[in-house]
Amino acid sequence: MANDLRFQVVFEAFKKKPLDVKTPSERPCDYFGKHVFNREKMYRYLPKDVYEKMIDVMDNGAQLDRHVANAIAAGMMQWAKENGATHYTHWFQPLTEGTAEKHDSFIEHDGKGGMIEEFSGKLLVQQEPDASSFPSGGIRSTFEARGYSAWDPTSPVFIIDDTLIIPTVFISYSGESLDYKSPLLRALKAVSAAATEVCHYFDPAVKKVTSNLGWEQEYFLVDEGLYAARPDLLLTGRTLMGHDSAKNQQMEDHYFGSIPERVAAFMRELEIQALMLGIPVKTRHNEVAPNQFEVAPIFEETNLAVDHNMLLMSLMKRVARKHGFRALLHEKPFDGINGSGKHNNWSLSTDTGVLLHAPGKTAVQNLRFATFIVETLMGVYRHNGLLKASIMSATNAHRLGANEAPPAIISSFLGKQVSGLLDHIEKADVDDILAMDGKKGMKMDIPEIPELLIDNTDRNRTSPFAFTGNRFEFRAVGSEANCASAMIALNSAVAEALIDFKKRVDKRIPEFEKRLAGTEHSSTFHAIIDVLREDIKTCKPIRFDGNGYSDEWVIEAAKRGLDVEKSCPIIFEHYLTDDSIKMFESLGVMTKKELEARNEVKWENYTKKIQIEARVLGDLSMNHIIPVATRYQMTLLENVKNMSDVFPSDKAEKLSASNIKLIEEIAERVSTIEKGVDELVNARKLANKITNEHDKAIAYHDDVEPKFANIRYQIDKLELIVDDALWPLPKYRELLFIR
């Protein structure tokens, strides 16, 4: 057999059995958070006064003084040591889409020739990791290495193996953020403050508004041996070539289907480890594509949810390898079948309930619901291009608009009932909407509200930002992305809209006080309705309940003034528009300098990913595919020659006709591939001469990446021609069906 290695790894994949998973004797609720220094552990290991101060820091943002930090560090180390920890690390989220950590042991010299274990508040609160090798977008020069990680006390520390892991922010020596967490925390603070102020119109007792996130993580599993035999998967996360399997997802039998035994064993262990780390995973199921699956947790506060998602992605890769798999988080690892996303279910809640939930028990609550729906839409409308930029990447660009995921146009689906509610508020007279009902107070004449008792929307899978009952589902986020990117943009946009809303309402209240003097009508609620009516009209272009995949929608969206750009590097420019800079700076989320630096990183990352793919595609074409194709061509030529030696010329010509046709086709396709690779290399060389990262990224998008398609097309056709025993790479039919 000419290609024994490929068949061997395929055979080994067929033979693999599920790995036994040691299930804890306790129920999940008993071991949940076992490896987390949560409030229950804090209460046990910290002095009472220190515990109370720590809770004040976590819940109310109180200042953490050094004395308290030392006491917390002492209790934290005691717990960590009892659980086998010997090291600690500051765990942060640099602009690499991953996480970073440097481990230090607890040991210190005791001054007597021996060692002791120590962990002070200073070590807990701050470290100085080398910042020179992390993306900074020019904020830091390579020779300027100093950067700081600082503890985020709102996200609990946890233990993995022998290491105490401390979630932190990461900033430069001069104070600029070099990570995702620090601007996320600022955005969450901004939306909390703005939403709380607006809530006081309806309930002065509201103390705090919290942004919540529930992510749905989609992923693929591939047998580890087959993965290792695919250099493109290994180096880029996706297959750069490969013809469709005769059977893929067209039978629609994988979605919610029976989970394969090996996969179920992986899922069980992943869930056990996740629950022990405090990640409240709840849902698991088969997704649409073969070998595609999903895991989803219960909603959490957004900052913690982001940390948990980053932790779960890392955990997923570790557990997968233990079970003989590789977890693929690339948005589009296989052509011709669905890719993977990470739906971000976002909502706002107070200490009294969910703001986006309707109907309320009172008309005031229903008006509050309408207010937060409309102002969320205002934020999304004003910054639809920025929101698209927040989820765009070289990898997610393969998924968006591929008739399986939301299109690369941000719009919002509300459903019949909520749309009817907003239309009613927009068109009816204010006095018809608000009326007094004796001592019972305000009565809201909105007939659509009672219908919200049932599920108030159907599902629209083509909508990138759909209202789904008590939350908005931001469906366009990519599978391998850090959720923080989308959450920074979304929470900032909503915060800005709420601040603007309150300013305009406050300005109009005195006008209505004069107009309604001597009546029982509420000037505040009349002012709210008046501003809401304006905003409903303003943000109407973002509302779209139709088919987001249609060509007609692209034309219509452009007419509405929505961003329809498809070029990833150009989409990133939305971070540097005057409106974006003004919003981020006014909220204290990011400065113009930080935004410029992050865009430099985005353009550079885009270039590097396409560059790596181009190199891998060229290497596989020239060193794997073409040699195999020409070897098979030689076999066919030998067959034709033997035919002419055995049979008369006319019969030999007839018998060899099909082989001669194949020989010619192989020659033509090989020639096209060689020419395509030459053009690809030359385009890359020209792009590499560009020094400006923005222009280089555009060159890679416009001139380099488009040359992939024809090379792949020719290779995929050769896969159907060349003897299966010679083909060097595992095929889709072997990669996509776990046994």
Side-chain angles (χ1 to χ4, degrees), residues 511-693:
E511 299 174 14
F512 279 100
E513 286 176 345
K514 294 178 181 178
R515 190 185 309 177
L516 301 172
T519 73
E520 294 180 301
H521 291 288
S522 166
S523 58
T524 297
F525 292 138
H526 272 75
I528 289 171
I529 290 288
D530 201 45
V531 174
L532 279 183
R533 286 157 59 89
E534 289 181 358
D535 288 352
I536 290 170
K537 294 175 183 177
T538 299
C539 69
K540 188 169 287 187
I542 204 70
R543 291 162 51 188
F544 178 65
D545 291 358
N547 180 10
Y549 296 155
S550 68
D551 294 335
E552 292 80 9
W553 168 232
V554 178
I555 298 170
E556 171 63 21
K559 290 180 180 178
R560 294 185 182 193
L562 304 182
D563 186 272
V564 297
E565 179 61 57
K566 295 183 179 180
S567 169
C568 189
I570 293 176
I571 290 170
F572 289 151
E573 294 174 8
H574 282 286
Y575 274 97
L576 299 178
T577 63
D578 291 341
D579 287 343
S580 294
I581 293 171
K582 179 183 177 182
M583 178 188 73
F584 284 125
E585 289 196 327
S586 67
L587 297 173
V589 175
M590 283 185 282
T591 65
K592 181 179 180 180
K593 182 178 180 181
E594 288 173 318
L595 291 167
E596 289 172 341
R598 283 165 188 267
N599 259 32
E600 286 291 304
V601 173
K602 288 178 181 291
W603 287 317
E604 186 177 2
N605 283 345
Y606 179 87
T607 295
K608 287 178 178 178
K609 287 188 177 182
I610 305 301
Q611 186 181 70
I612 291 169
E613 289 187 351
R615 289 173 173 169
V616 172
L617 180 59
D619 172 60
L620 287 178
S621 299
M622 302 305 293
N623 296 319
H624 290 66
I625 304 303
I626 288 179
V628 166
T630 53
R631 191 184 312 160
Y632 182 57
Q633 188 182 46
M634 290 300 295
T635 301
L636 295 175
L637 284 167
E638 187 68 24
N639 179 271
V640 171
K641 180 177 180 299
N642 291 340
M643 286 287 188
S644 63
D645 290 342
V646 173
F647 297 103
S649 59
D650 57 338
K651 189 171 184 179
E653 182 178 348
K654 184 177 180 181
L655 293 173
S656 301
S658 60
N659 281 349
I660 291 173
K661 185 178 180 181
L662 286 176
I663 291 167
E664 292 174 346
E665 183 177 350
I666 290 171
E668 290 173 0
R669 296 196 185 280
V670 165
S671 176
T672 302
I673 292 170
E674 290 175 333
K675 181 182 178 183
V677 171
D678 284 342
E679 292 175 350
L680 180 63
V681 170
N682 290 331
R684 201 175 74 237
K685 287 179 178 178
L686 288 174
N688 289 340
K689 293 179 180 179
I690 302 172
T691 56
N692 180 278
E693 292 295 344

Side-chain angles (χ1 to χ4, degrees), residues 358 369-370 373-374 377 411-428 446-449 451-452 455-458 460 463 465-469 472 532 536-537 539-546 560:
F369 165 77
I373 289 288
V374 172
L377 293 176
S411 65
S412 183
F413 168 81
L414 298 179
K416 179 181 177 181
Q417 288 83 8
V418 178
S419 292
L421 164 63
L422 300 191
D423 290 343
H424 183 79
I425 294 174
E426 176 193 353
K427 296 173 184 177
I446 302 180
E448 289 82 1
I449 283 289
E451 295 184 40
L452 299 176
D455 285 341
N456 58 70
T457 69
D458 195 355
N460 187 328
S463 176
F465 195 76
F467 183 69
T468 56
F472 281 96
L532 279 183
I536 290 170
K537 294 175 183 177
C539 69
K540 188 169 287 187
I542 204 70
R543 291 162 51 188
F544 178 65
D545 291 358
R560 294 185 182 193

Side-chain angles (χ1 to χ4, degrees), residues 55 61 65 89 176 237 254 263 321 332 344 367 374 378 401 515-516 541 588 626 669 672 711:
I55 297 302
D65 61 49
T89 183
E176 293 89 1
H254 194 258
V263 176
R321 296 197 67 176
K332 190 75 170 177
N344 278 207
L367 181 58
V374 172
M378 282 293 290
R515 190 185 309 177
L516 301 172
I626 288 179
R669 296 196 185 280
T672 302
I711 297 172

